[in-house]
Amino acid sequence: MKKTETRIQKKNHSAIKSAGLKVFAQFGFRGSTLDQIAAESGLSKPNILYYFASKEAIYEALLAQLLTDWLQPVRDIDPAGDPVEEILKYAKHKLKMSRLYPRESRLYATEIIQGAPRIKSVLTGELRDVVENLALLINHWADAGSIRAVDPYHLIFSIWAMTQHYADFEVQVKAIWGERDHFEDAEQYLEDMLRRMLTV
Amino acid sequence: MKKTETRIQKKNHSAIKSAGLKVFAQFGFRGSTLDQIAAESGLSKPNILYYFASKEAIYEALLAQLLTDWLQPVRDIDPAGDPVEEILKYAKHKLKMSRLYPRESRLYATEIIQGAPRIKSVLTGELRDVVENLALLINHWADAGSIRAVDPYHLIFSIWAMTQHYADFEVQVKAIWGERDHFEDAEQYLEDMLRRMLTV
DNA sequence: TAAGAATTTGACCAACTGGTCAAACTGACG
DNA sequence: CGTCAGTTTGACCAGTTGGTCAAATTCTTA
């Protein structure tokens, strides 16, 4: 059973995870140091290791949280809803997560690019299952004629690719697009694209 | 002026860059070590530093090469060609590069995710200019009625996002799609998407 | 083939790494 | 106020890091 956290524990666990997210998202696991996380969180290095067993434990706590948040919106897609609107709702939700939590997106991206050494089992397990179910649903919608027939997997990949691009490649987007907000227009473009793809 | 490389220099420079690409693409600059590159290239660590001044020099040589290869296909787009086919040609070329050179793609991705500390000037300079020109061309095509009016920047972002996704997130794609080649179907999906987006 | 140039290496270094530990400090609560 | 669990830290450690250097080895070419 889980003991309730003290006030200080709650504060410090949260400070460490927040600092870890910032550092790991930028430098990856191997490129990040406890000293960086210590400096970022305002705690001393030994104190950090009082709250987390190791550097790896911080990283894994972040990944675990991330995967939960990532997968839930896929599960929230309503098979009884309007197909195009449901897919659109999901895509917009994903885009909003990119805008609100770009560091989480980047942390995930670095983990995947590095070959997902710590979460490969989740990818081939939970993630795969969830996506397979969604693909079945999309195919079912296509068979029923509610949407145009498209490869469901590549449809999903394209939604992921585009939404995450705006978070992961933010410096590049900003270098080209300028500093003004690009998410507004991105949403419109994404909606236009998906409607064109899904409407007969 | 550049002295011609000896046989050995050519061989070793190439071996080091190849090894560096492999290591840097996986762990990013800070996460990679000279020992890893040494082991991967079959050379001793001091010998590597005989050919490159520092770890950073190897990384920068790779990035410079990369940016050239990345930008050229954009420049190769023919303003006099058929608009849809030209954009399609570019997108397919980019996808082929993701299939043939996934490590280069990942190296670039890690650099951008980390905030592009070493190539930000290229992003806001050369890259920005090249993309701006392409955007003007696309708008021109749209004005002439040869393609549907779309935001040219987000069109370009979507092509980049999707093509690079198959290289950078390869483990995730494979976890879901299985080990069989996904690039074939990806090309078909991409073509379908772009034709839908660009055809009136 | 001999000499000089190019290449390779083992030994080494200072800075940094993740992590430990005993001692000191702080806060909550009877 | 006293006590004790909970918290914080300075000093420290062994392993790793990027990089140096003089000496040894191998190539090339006159």
Side-chain angles (χ1 to χ4, degrees):
Chain A
M1 71 205 87
K2 180 178 265 179
K3 272 283 176 80
T4 47
E5 289 187 316
T6 70
R7 175 180 56 89
I8 298 178
Q9 279 166 356
K10 198 179 287 185
K11 189 189 63 174
N12 286 347
H13 274 135
S14 146
I16 293 169
K17 282 198 276 186
S18 167
L21 176 61
K22 206 163 177 177
V23 175
F24 285 134
Q26 185 165 173
F27 300 107
F29 179 73
R30 291 206 29 186
S32 303
T33 72
L34 280 174
D35 284 312
Q36 282 178 287
I37 299 171
E40 186 67 39
S41 66
L43 300 177
S44 68
K45 189 167 64 172
N47 204 11
I48 284 181
L49 291 165
Y50 173 71
Y51 289 100
F52 286 88
S54 63
K55 174 182 159 184
E56 189 144 11
I58 306 172
Y59 188 76
E60 276 169 2
L62 288 168
L63 270 186
Q65 180 62 58
L66 197 55
L67 285 165
T68 311
D69 299 346
W70 241 233
L71 250 40
Q72 195 48 48
V74 187
R75 292 203 179 91
D76 288 344
I77 294 174
D78 180 9
D82 177 80
V84 174
E85 298 309 320
E86 283 298 317
I87 292 170
L88 227 55
K89 188 189 75 185
Y90 170 66
K92 285 182 179 183
H93 184 103
K94 197 92 200 331
L95 186 64
K96 189 189 273 179
M97 287 176 79
S98 279
R99 181 174 55 214
L100 296 180
Y101 312 107
R103 288 195 292 259
E104 277 84 346
S105 183
R106 277 175 218 137
L107 175 67
Y108 186 75
T110 61
E111 172 68 13
I112 298 293
I113 288 175
Q114 293 178 13
R118 296 150 221 276
I119 55 164
K120 201 176 270 175
S121 65
V122 183
L123 297 190
T124 55
E126 228 179 326
L127 177 72
R128 193 176 175 282
D129 292 344
V130 163
V131 171
E132 200 159 16
N133 279 335
L134 177 53
L136 286 172
L137 177 59
I138 292 172
N139 276 335
H140 174 256
W141 280 336
D143 289 344
S146 335
I147 58 169
R148 195 173 73 96
V150 293
D151 184 310
Y153 292 102
H154 289 285
L155 174 70
I156 296 164
F157 292 152
S158 68
I159 292 172
W160 287 351
M162 287 192 54
T163 53
Q164 286 174 224
H165 185 85
Y166 290 102
D168 302 345
F169 285 68
E170 195 173 35
V171 274
Q172 185 179 263
V173 170
K174 279 187 172 166
I176 290 166
W177 182 265
E179 284 299 321
R180 70 190 191 283
D181 184 53
H182 47 267
F183 280 100
E184 285 303 311
D185 295 272
E187 184 173 308
Q188 243 182 294
Y189 182 88
L190 188 63
E191 175 162 357
D192 178 39
M193 189 192 96
L194 288 173
R195 285 199 189 280
R196 289 234 140 207
M197 284 302 282
L198 297 174
T199 311
V200 184
Chain B
M1 73 205 89
K2 181 177 266 178
K3 273 286 177 78
T4 47
E5 286 187 317
T6 69
R7 177 180 55 90
I8 296 177
Q9 279 167 356
K10 199 178 290 184
K11 189 190 63 177
N12 284 349
H13 273 135
S14 146
I16 293 169
K17 282 198 277 187
S18 167
L21 176 63
K22 207 163 177 176
V23 175
F24 285 133
Q26 185 163 173
F27 300 107
F29 178 73
R30 291 205 31 185
S32 302
T33 72
L34 281 174
D35 284 313
Q36 283 177 287
I37 298 172
E40 186 66 39
S41 67
L43 301 177
S44 69
K45 188 167 64 172
N47 204 12
I48 283 180
L49 292 165
Y50 173 71
Y51 289 101
F52 286 87
S54 64
K55 174 183 160 184
E56 190 146 11
I58 305 172
Y59 188 76
E60 277 170 0
L62 288 167
L63 269 186
Q65 179 63 57
L66 199 53
L67 285 166
T68 310
D69 300 347
W70 241 231
L71 251 40
Q72 194 49 47
V74 188
R75 293 202 180 92
D76 288 345
I77 293 174
D78 182 9
D82 178 80
V84 175
E85 297 310 320
E86 283 298 315
I87 292 171
L88 228 54
K89 189 188 75 184
Y90 170 68
K92 286 183 180 182
H93 184 103
K94 197 90 201 331
L95 186 63
K96 189 188 274 180
M97 286 176 80
S98 278
R99 181 175 54 213
L100 296 179
Y101 311 108
R103 286 195 293 258
E104 277 84 347
S105 183
R106 275 175 222 140
L107 176 66
Y108 186 75
T110 60
E111 172 68 14
I112 298 293
I113 290 175
Q114 293 179 10
R118 295 147 223 276
I119 54 165
K120 202 176 269 175
S121 65
V122 183
L123 297 189
T124 55
E126 227 180 325
L127 177 73
R128 194 176 175 282
D129 293 343
V130 163
V131 171
E132 202 160 16
N133 279 334
L134 178 53
L136 286 172
L137 177 60
I138 292 172
N139 275 337
H140 174 257
W141 280 336
D143 289 343
S146 334
I147 58 170
R148 196 172 74 97
V150 293
D151 183 311
Y153 291 101
H154 289 285
L155 174 68
I156 295 165
F157 293 152
S158 68
I159 292 172
W160 287 351
M162 286 191 57
T163 53
Q164 285 173 223
H165 185 84
Y166 291 103
D168 303 344
F169 286 67
E170 196 173 34
V171 273
Q172 186 179 261
V173 170
K174 278 186 172 167
I176 290 166
W177 182 264
E179 284 298 321
R180 70 188 189 285
D181 185 54
H182 46 267
F183 280 101
E184 285 304 310
D185 293 274
E187 185 173 308
Q188 242 182 298
Y189 182 87
L190 188 61
E191 176 163 356
D192 180 38
M193 189 192 96
L194 288 173
R195 286 198 189 280
R196 289 234 140 207
M197 284 302 281
L198 297 174
T199 310
V200 185

